[in-house]
Amino acid sequence: MEQFLPYIIQAISGLVGGNIAGLLAKAKSLGPILNSILGAVGGIGAAQGAQAAGILEAIGLGSMGGTGADIGLGAIGGLVLPLLGSLFKKK
């Protein structure tokens, strides 16, 4: 179960980020359910991608790893993906 904890943390922080994205783009929000789903997917994707690519080490935050990185990267990824999705929403 411990091996799934980072994914759960990334998904939850991405979910929160996705809902914040919905609040930021109220006019083009995709709705709470789709914002939550895209946020969770974006949170996991961004956190795993950044860690696999070694981005934290490249910018000097390699020691930050762990839960703090999972929360931060998950929230950022969860914020970005719904905002990108809202660009394709018709009025």
Side-chain angles (χ1 to χ4, degrees):
M1 184 66 184
E2 276 186 36
Q3 69 265 22
F4 295 116
L5 188 59
Y7 297 107
I8 294 168
I9 292 170
Q10 293 161 3
I12 291 172
S13 61
L15 187 135
V16 171
N19 285 300
I20 290 172
L23 293 174
L24 291 175
K26 280 188 180 183
K28 297 194 89 172
S29 176
L30 301 172
I33 294 174
L34 194 53
N35 283 338
S36 297
I37 292 170
L38 287 175
V41 170
I44 293 172
Q48 291 299 310
Q51 290 174 358
I55 292 175
L56 291 177
E57 288 81 17
I59 60 174
L61 297 174
S63 62
M64 181 183 160
T67 306
D70 289 336
I71 292 171
L73 292 169
I76 292 170
L79 183 77
V80 170
L81 193 59
L83 286 177
L84 288 175
S86 71
L87 294 175
F88 297 102
K89 182 179 177 184
K90 293 182 180 181
K91 291 183 180 181

